[in-house]
Amino acid sequence: MHPPPAPAAPPARGPDLAALARRIRELAHQAGFQRVGISGVELGEDEAHLRDWLAQGLYGTMDWMARHGDLRSRPAELVPGTVRVLSVGLDYGQDEEQAWRTLSAGERAYVARYALGRDYHKLMRNRLQRLAERLQAEVGPFGHRVFVDSAPVLERALARNAGLGWIGKNTCLIDKDGGSWFFLGEIYLDLPLPVDPPASAHCGSCNRCIPACPTGAITAPHRLDARRCISYLTIEHAGAIPEELRPAMGNRIFGCDDCQLVCPWNKFARRTDEPDFRARNNLDQATLTELFAWEEDEFLRRTEGSAIRRSGHERWLRNIAVALGNAPTTPAVVAALESRRQHPSPLVREHVAWALERHRGH
């Protein structure tokens, strides 16, 4: 007689993925992220939207937007093995009343609220990396890669699919429980975690952001012409700012927040007291003439660790010259512009000459 066959070994049990997803959220909240969600990697509709936007040339001179082809909308091709994306949001909410006061004070400089303090990229990347390392210490090694605006990632679409908010008509991600004043970051994962339901849209019939754009850059719901956007013009664009757009820029010297300031959902935004995001160099109070006086060495010193460093000193002076051209005519404003009339940069000289012409006859 043959001995009876040995009973089959029970199938090997993998990790409890639902419990793992809960633990990831717990660790992410402990790391200081107010919003956390998990999505899959399918972005077909968003890929079509991106292709159409690129085909129309609405990205201006941001060639890197087109350079990566479809990698931006295909996480598994950017990082092979990726099956899930952990999206996180970090609040940077500021005092909106103060923002409006600055915008209405023509002699003061308006800097986008996200750029008042330290650059968020390093802070978020470090937190996400520590989060991934802590998780590995608990569950063992897994494939992952951290991103904070550092690679071709369709971050708003991924965050929407992870339930963090919907993409508003102003193209910002909006959370009905907290508005749009938050940064996004991601960890691409090779763990088949359960995904969160995507966020539903709640703009409804509201169109406030569209007429609020000073330069008419929001040409239709969910359609932004970067070539007219003040954030693009003051930060990404290297050449002369189109003359017809300069008057509408007002005193905005680095970025623009108007489409967020008018969004009704931002009444639910939480003010943050993250020390890194507190205003530096008095940027929430500074006058245009003060900032125009910074020579390059002072600009580099004061903008160390700041997103403003990205513009460089030449664009900084170009932007402030436009704002001074829009400022009330005073001896201090005219004297500041005169001080840069012979600047070595043709770009700066051209914008200074335009601004001085605006004040002649006042």
Side-chain angles (χ1 to χ4, degrees), residues 16-35:
D16 182 340
L17 294 172
L20 184 55
R22 287 193 297 272
R23 181 59 176 153
I24 288 175
R25 287 189 188 85
E26 186 180 317
L27 292 174
H29 286 305
Q30 289 176 12
F33 298 113
Q34 291 84 12
R35 294 168 181 77

Side-chain angles (χ1 to χ4, degrees), residues 255-318:
C256 179
D257 292 320
D258 288 45
C259 66
Q260 296 190 85
L261 288 169
V262 300
C263 178
W265 290 105
N266 272 321
K267 66 186 174 190
F268 301 112
R270 302 175 186 89
R271 293 275 299 279
T272 183
D273 196 33
E274 177 68 53
D276 272 15
F277 299 157
R278 293 174 191 161
R280 307 168 78 200
N281 295 306
N282 199 38
L283 282 177
D284 55 343
Q285 303 284 341
T287 65
L288 294 166
T289 54
E290 285 174 55
L291 302 182
F292 201 54
W294 289 2
E295 299 298 344
E296 187 166 22
D297 58 345
E298 184 174 7
F299 171 83
L300 293 173
R301 186 178 76 252
R302 287 182 179 271
T303 59
E304 186 173 356
S306 162
I308 291 173
R309 175 74 71 90
R310 179 179 176 84
S311 71
H313 187 241
E314 183 183 43
R315 292 185 212 176
W316 175 253
L317 293 179
R318 175 201 65 184

Side-chain angles (χ1 to χ4, degrees), residues 45-67 72 154 156 171 217-229 232 236:
E45 285 186 26
D46 300 282
E47 181 175 284
H49 184 87
L50 175 63
R51 283 179 175 176
D52 179 57
W53 186 78
L54 292 170
Q56 293 186 43
L58 300 179
Y59 57 93
T61 56
M62 295 185 291
D63 295 333
W64 44 269
M65 288 293 297
R67 193 180 307 134
R72 192 174 297 277
L154 217 54
R156 282 169 293 181
T171 75
I218 307 172
T219 57
H222 311 105
R223 180 63 48 152
L224 181 76
D225 185 344
R227 299 167 300 182
R228 300 184 66 86
C229 176
Y232 164 79
E236 303 292 347

Side-chain angles (χ1 to χ4, degrees), residues 5-313:
R13 292 191 63 186
D16 182 340
L17 294 172
L20 184 55
R22 287 193 297 272
R23 181 59 176 153
I24 288 175
R25 287 189 188 85
E26 186 180 317
L27 292 174
H29 286 305
Q30 289 176 12
F33 298 113
Q34 291 84 12
R35 294 168 181 77
V36 188
I38 298 166
S39 77
V41 295
E42 299 77 26
L43 294 168
E45 285 186 26
D46 300 282
E47 181 175 284
H49 184 87
L50 175 63
R51 283 179 175 176
D52 179 57
W53 186 78
L54 292 170
Q56 293 186 43
L58 300 179
Y59 57 93
T61 56
M62 295 185 291
D63 295 333
W64 44 269
M65 288 293 297
R67 193 180 307 134
H68 300 289
D70 291 332
L71 277 183
R72 192 174 297 277
S73 52
R74 300 183 183 183
E77 292 184 19
L78 181 65
V79 181
T82 299
V83 295
R84 295 290 184 268
V85 176
L86 174 72
S87 287
V88 299
L90 180 64
D91 287 348
Y92 70 92
Q94 304 284 337
D95 182 347
E96 291 191 23
E97 288 304 314
Q98 184 189 60
W100 284 120
R101 286 194 299 271
T102 300
L103 283 170
S104 64
E107 75 285 354
R108 282 170 59 184
Y110 188 86
V111 172
R113 304 296 91 175
Y114 83 88
L116 289 173
R118 292 189 65 83
D119 191 343
Y120 67 94
H121 293 87
K122 186 178 289 187
L123 170 73
M124 285 194 76
R125 194 177 299 116
N126 288 343
R127 286 189 183 182
L128 281 171
Q129 195 60 53
R130 287 199 301 270
L131 170 62
E133 289 165 4
R134 188 169 172 189
L135 194 61
Q136 279 194 317
E138 293 190 13
V139 304
F142 57 88
H144 71 280
R145 188 167 162 193
V146 166
F147 296 108
V148 181
D149 200 22
S150 53
V153 173
L154 217 54
E155 61 178 11
R156 282 169 293 181
L158 289 166
R160 177 205 60 217
N161 290 355
L164 270 64
W166 73 94
I167 300 174
K169 293 177 183 177
N170 60 1
T171 75
C172 294
L173 196 77
I174 305 171
D175 169 18
K176 66 177 181 172
D177 296 320
S180 60
W181 304 103
F182 57 93
F183 300 120
L184 293 173
E186 301 78 36
I187 305 181
Y188 280 25
L189 301 162
D190 68 355
L191 300 168
L193 301 165
V195 300
D196 290 299
S200 54
H202 297 278
C203 286
S205 61
C206 178
N207 282 312
R208 286 189 205 177
C209 56
I210 296 177
C213 178
T215 51
I218 307 172
T219 57
H222 311 105
R223 180 63 48 152
L224 181 76
D225 185 344
R227 299 167 300 182
R228 300 184 66 86
C229 176
I230 293 174
S231 289
Y232 164 79
L233 291 169
T234 55
I235 301 169
E236 303 292 347
H237 180 57
I241 294 171
E243 276 197 44
E244 69 274 15
L245 298 179
R246 295 177 195 177
M249 291 172 61
N251 59 349
R252 300 165 186 84
I253 66 166
F254 190 92
C256 179
D257 292 320
D258 288 45
C259 66
Q260 296 190 85
L261 288 169
V262 300
C263 178
W265 290 105
N266 272 321
K267 66 186 174 190
F268 301 112
R270 302 175 186 89
R271 293 275 299 279
T272 183
D273 196 33
E274 177 68 53
D276 272 15
F277 299 157
R278 293 174 191 161
R280 307 168 78 200
N281 295 306
N282 199 38
L283 282 177
D284 55 343
Q285 303 284 341
T287 65
L288 294 166
T289 54
E290 285 174 55
L291 302 182
F292 201 54
W294 289 2
E295 299 298 344
E296 187 166 22
D297 58 345
E298 184 174 7
F299 171 83
L300 293 173
R301 186 178 76 252
R302 287 182 179 271
T303 59
E304 186 173 356
S306 162
I308 291 173
R309 175 74 71 90
R310 179 179 176 84
S311 71
H313 187 241

